[in-house]
Amino acid sequence: MSTDRVIADDAEALAVAAELAADFRKEAAERDVRRRLPHAELERLSASGLLAVSVPAEFGGADVRAVTLAEIFRLLASADASLAQIPQSHFVYVNVLRRQGTHAQQEFFFGEVLRGRRFGNAQSEAGTRHVQDIRTRLARRPDGSYVLDGVKHYSTGALFAHWIPVLARADDDTLHVAYVPRDAPGLTVVDDWDGMGQRTTASGTVRLERVSVPADRVLPHHLTFQGPQLHGAVAQLLHAAIDAGIASGALAEAVEFVRTKSRPWFESGLETAAEDPLLIQRFGELAIRLRAAEALLREAAGAVDDARDDLTDDSAAEASIAVATAKVTAAEAAVEIGSALFEVAGTRSALDSLGLHRHWRDARTHTLHDPARWKVQHIGRYVLSGTRPPRHGLL
């Protein structure tokens, strides 16, 4: 998919996201139950220009604020959490280019993004000692080019991508990102994702066997974490926005169901379920949880914007802590509201044919990306002793 549409500013980006979310919501349950992969929807996303909104202005992009980017993801996730998850890595690796790309690399790849090209990811590996134990190798050839070998898992977006950024270790063991065409010889994307939630992300396996990579398609990712950076904060902000969107979508469906389908409990003596004071109380509690999550999301995005305007060790730390706070809260809200939907809506809401369980499944699956308990630890250390969070890309 190529596009001539370039979104001009934050207001246009939000309007486009709201319009797409409204359309994507219509068949979200059907896509989930049938595991119908959203090829057509992603083509619309590319054609809309929305995937290029973080391209810097000097290269022709809108360069929207983090507040806007977070709201885009929240809107999309409120409609379809799988669909919103797919471009998360796209924006992360646009960000890598912003920080570590040469001018020539930026000019080429930002041009690709402006034309509607999508980035996937080949980052995580399974069976290693821990999540940062990356064993995919990027070996340098005598002519300066590279060759990639390895196996990646949880490769969200790779199946739908034009370019697949691959995280790998070079000969000196430092981390690099190689941007590899989806159709490169030796690169295979396997659609073997079978998660209980986010069923249509196609977060399967990427196999790399002697994949050739020109030198100008490789970036030194290890340099990202030297000095103050917002790489992790932006990546985690988008995850928090997805969780907040899931919570919002679940609450909206619960409201609609109780208003139109739920029966009042016979002991209440009321005509409709929506008049039941016990249900009213629970909806009030859930609404408070959601508002808190959304408010913290906006605050965190604002902290990222502030840090981007004046990047220091202190501003980067404040942004990371704000994002971690938002992520913990949004994750809890998504899981709680996704589950409470059935509590307030009643027995009929559990029918498999309605697909309302997708909200909880999506929330429970997505919130496993990284443990919230470690975020709480870093927040606690920051509050108690002023200890800045580590620079490892997950905060």
Side-chain angles (χ1 to χ4, degrees), residues 264-273 275-277:
W265 184 242
F266 72 96
E267 291 178 282
S268 71
L270 298 168
E271 289 298 315
T272 67
E275 298 173 278
D276 185 338

PDB file of all heavy atoms in Angstrom, residues 264-273 275-277:
ATOM      1  N   PRO A 264     -33.292  -6.901  35.201  1.00  0.00           N
ATOM      2  CA  PRO A 264     -33.080  -6.563  36.610  1.00  0.00           C
ATOM      3  C   PRO A 264     -33.218  -7.808  37.480  1.00  0.00           C
ATOM      4  O   PRO A 264     -33.959  -8.738  37.149  1.00  0.00           O
ATOM      5  CB  PRO A 264     -34.195  -5.554  36.899  1.00  0.00           C
ATOM      6  CG  PRO A 264     -35.286  -5.915  35.942  1.00  0.00           C
ATOM      7  CD  PRO A 264     -34.583  -6.379  34.693  1.00  0.00           C
ATOM      8  N   TRP A 265     -32.496  -7.835  38.576  1.00  0.00           N
ATOM      9  CA  TRP A 265     -32.645  -8.926  39.535  1.00  0.00           C
ATOM     10  C   TRP A 265     -34.021  -8.806  40.181  1.00  0.00           C
ATOM     11  O   TRP A 265     -34.467  -7.720  40.526  1.00  0.00           O
ATOM     12  CB  TRP A 265     -31.535  -8.873  40.574  1.00  0.00           C
ATOM     13  CG  TRP A 265     -31.549 -10.010  41.557  1.00  0.00           C
ATOM     14  CD1 TRP A 265     -31.721  -9.933  42.897  1.00  0.00           C
ATOM     15  CD2 TRP A 265     -31.397 -11.400  41.242  1.00  0.00           C
ATOM     16  NE1 TRP A 265     -31.670 -11.184  43.471  1.00  0.00           N
ATOM     17  CE2 TRP A 265     -31.476 -12.118  42.455  1.00  0.00           C
ATOM     18  CE3 TRP A 265     -31.212 -12.124  40.052  1.00  0.00           C
ATOM     19  CZ2 TRP A 265     -31.376 -13.496  42.537  1.00  0.00           C
ATOM     20  CZ3 TRP A 265     -31.099 -13.499  40.132  1.00  0.00           C
ATOM     21  CH2 TRP A 265     -31.185 -14.177  41.359  1.00  0.00           C
ATOM     22  N   PHE A 266     -34.707  -9.950  40.347  1.00  0.00           N
ATOM     23  CA  PHE A 266     -36.106  -9.905  40.762  1.00  0.00           C
ATOM     24  C   PHE A 266     -36.294  -9.235  42.123  1.00  0.00           C
ATOM     25  O   PHE A 266     -37.321  -8.607  42.387  1.00  0.00           O
ATOM     26  CB  PHE A 266     -36.708 -11.321  40.769  1.00  0.00           C
ATOM     27  CG  PHE A 266     -36.207 -12.205  41.896  1.00  0.00           C
ATOM     28  CD1 PHE A 266     -36.937 -12.323  43.077  1.00  0.00           C
ATOM     29  CD2 PHE A 266     -35.017 -12.922  41.769  1.00  0.00           C
ATOM     30  CE1 PHE A 266     -36.491 -13.140  44.107  1.00  0.00           C
ATOM     31  CE2 PHE A 266     -34.574 -13.728  42.798  1.00  0.00           C
ATOM     32  CZ  PHE A 266     -35.307 -13.843  43.980  1.00  0.00           C
ATOM     33  N   GLU A 267     -35.305  -9.319  42.993  1.00  0.00           N
ATOM     34  CA  GLU A 267     -35.457  -8.729  44.322  1.00  0.00           C
ATOM     35  C   GLU A 267     -35.416  -7.203  44.310  1.00  0.00           C
ATOM     36  O   GLU A 267     -35.807  -6.565  45.285  1.00  0.00           O
ATOM     37  CB  GLU A 267     -34.363  -9.255  45.262  1.00  0.00           C
ATOM     38  CG  GLU A 267     -34.512 -10.729  45.616  1.00  0.00           C
ATOM     39  CD  GLU A 267     -33.379 -11.199  46.511  1.00  0.00           C
ATOM     40  OE1 GLU A 267     -32.268 -11.442  45.990  1.00  0.00           O
ATOM     41  OE2 GLU A 267     -33.609 -11.308  47.730  1.00  0.00           O
ATOM     42  N   SER A 268     -34.919  -6.628  43.211  1.00  0.00           N
ATOM     43  CA  SER A 268     -34.796  -5.170  43.168  1.00  0.00           C
ATOM     44  C   SER A 268     -36.149  -4.481  43.035  1.00  0.00           C
ATOM     45  O   SER A 268     -36.323  -3.334  43.442  1.00  0.00           O
ATOM     46  CB  SER A 268     -33.897  -4.749  42.002  1.00  0.00           C
ATOM     47  OG  SER A 268     -34.556  -4.953  40.749  1.00  0.00           O
ATOM     48  N   GLY A 269     -37.122  -5.191  42.426  1.00  0.00           N
ATOM     49  CA  GLY A 269     -38.428  -4.580  42.197  1.00  0.00           C
ATOM     50  C   GLY A 269     -38.407  -3.500  41.133  1.00  0.00           C
ATOM     51  O   GLY A 269     -39.375  -2.726  41.012  1.00  0.00           O
ATOM     52  N   LEU A 270     -37.337  -3.448  40.338  1.00  0.00           N
ATOM     53  CA  LEU A 270     -37.192  -2.397  39.329  1.00  0.00           C
ATOM     54  C   LEU A 270     -37.540  -2.916  37.944  1.00  0.00           C
ATOM     55  O   LEU A 270     -37.539  -4.123  37.686  1.00  0.00           O
ATOM     56  CB  LEU A 270     -35.759  -1.862  39.344  1.00  0.00           C
ATOM     57  CG  LEU A 270     -35.333  -1.208  40.671  1.00  0.00           C
ATOM     58  CD1 LEU A 270     -33.833  -0.982  40.692  1.00  0.00           C
ATOM     59  CD2 LEU A 270     -36.079   0.120  40.869  1.00  0.00           C
ATOM     60  N   GLU A 271     -37.815  -1.988  37.049  1.00  0.00           N
ATOM     61  CA  GLU A 271     -38.207  -2.345  35.686  1.00  0.00           C
ATOM     62  C   GLU A 271     -37.001  -2.659  34.803  1.00  0.00           C
ATOM     63  O   GLU A 271     -37.085  -3.463  33.884  1.00  0.00           O
ATOM     64  CB  GLU A 271     -39.008  -1.201  35.054  1.00  0.00           C
ATOM     65  CG  GLU A 271     -40.405  -1.022  35.650  1.00  0.00           C
ATOM     66  CD  GLU A 271     -41.275  -2.256  35.425  1.00  0.00           C
ATOM     67  OE1 GLU A 271     -41.269  -2.794  34.292  1.00  0.00           O
ATOM     68  OE2 GLU A 271     -41.939  -2.686  36.382  1.00  0.00           O
ATOM     69  N   THR A 272     -35.877  -1.995  35.047  1.00  0.00           N
ATOM     70  CA  THR A 272     -34.690  -2.198  34.209  1.00  0.00           C
ATOM     71  C   THR A 272     -33.456  -2.399  35.074  1.00  0.00           C
ATOM     72  O   THR A 272     -33.377  -1.918  36.212  1.00  0.00           O
ATOM     73  CB  THR A 272     -34.428  -0.978  33.287  1.00  0.00           C
ATOM     74  OG1 THR A 272     -34.063   0.153  34.094  1.00  0.00           O
ATOM     75  CG2 THR A 272     -35.667  -0.639  32.463  1.00  0.00           C
ATOM     76  N   ALA A 273     -32.482  -3.098  34.506  1.00  0.00           N
ATOM     77  CA  ALA A 273     -31.229  -3.345  35.222  1.00  0.00           C
ATOM     78  C   ALA A 273     -30.475  -2.042  35.470  1.00  0.00           C
ATOM     79  O   ALA A 273     -29.799  -1.893  36.497  1.00  0.00           O
ATOM     80  CB  ALA A 273     -30.364  -4.310  34.418  1.00  0.00           C
ATOM     81  N   GLU A 275     -31.480   0.680  36.424  1.00  0.00           N
ATOM     82  CA  GLU A 275     -31.968   1.415  37.600  1.00  0.00           C
ATOM     83  C   GLU A 275     -31.496   0.808  38.920  1.00  0.00           C
ATOM     84  O   GLU A 275     -31.682   1.406  39.984  1.00  0.00           O
ATOM     85  CB  GLU A 275     -33.502   1.436  37.598  1.00  0.00           C
ATOM     86  CG  GLU A 275     -34.138   2.141  36.424  1.00  0.00           C
ATOM     87  CD  GLU A 275     -35.650   1.950  36.422  1.00  0.00           C
ATOM     88  OE1 GLU A 275     -36.111   0.890  35.941  1.00  0.00           O
ATOM     89  OE2 GLU A 275     -36.352   2.849  36.934  1.00  0.00           O
ATOM     90  N   ASP A 276     -30.900  -0.361  38.870  1.00  0.00           N
ATOM     91  CA  ASP A 276     -30.479  -1.075  40.076  1.00  0.00           C
ATOM     92  C   ASP A 276     -29.370  -0.295  40.786  1.00  0.00           C
ATOM     93  O   ASP A 276     -28.295  -0.076  40.210  1.00  0.00           O
ATOM     94  CB  ASP A 276     -29.971  -2.464  39.681  1.00  0.00           C
ATOM     95  CG  ASP A 276     -29.612  -3.335  40.877  1.00  0.00           C
ATOM     96  OD1 ASP A 276     -29.341  -2.791  41.964  1.00  0.00           O
ATOM     97  OD2 ASP A 276     -29.582  -4.567  40.705  1.00  0.00           O
ATOM     98  N   PRO A 277     -29.587   0.150  42.014  1.00  0.00           N
ATOM     99  CA  PRO A 277     -28.558   0.946  42.706  1.00  0.00           C
ATOM    100  C   PRO A 277     -27.254   0.192  42.929  1.00  0.00           C
ATOM    101  O   PRO A 277     -26.183   0.804  42.995  1.00  0.00           O
ATOM    102  CB  PRO A 277     -29.228   1.309  44.036  1.00  0.00           C
ATOM    103  CG  PRO A 277     -30.326   0.304  44.214  1.00  0.00           C
ATOM    104  CD  PRO A 277     -30.796  -0.024  42.839  1.00  0.00           C
TER     105      PRO A 277
END
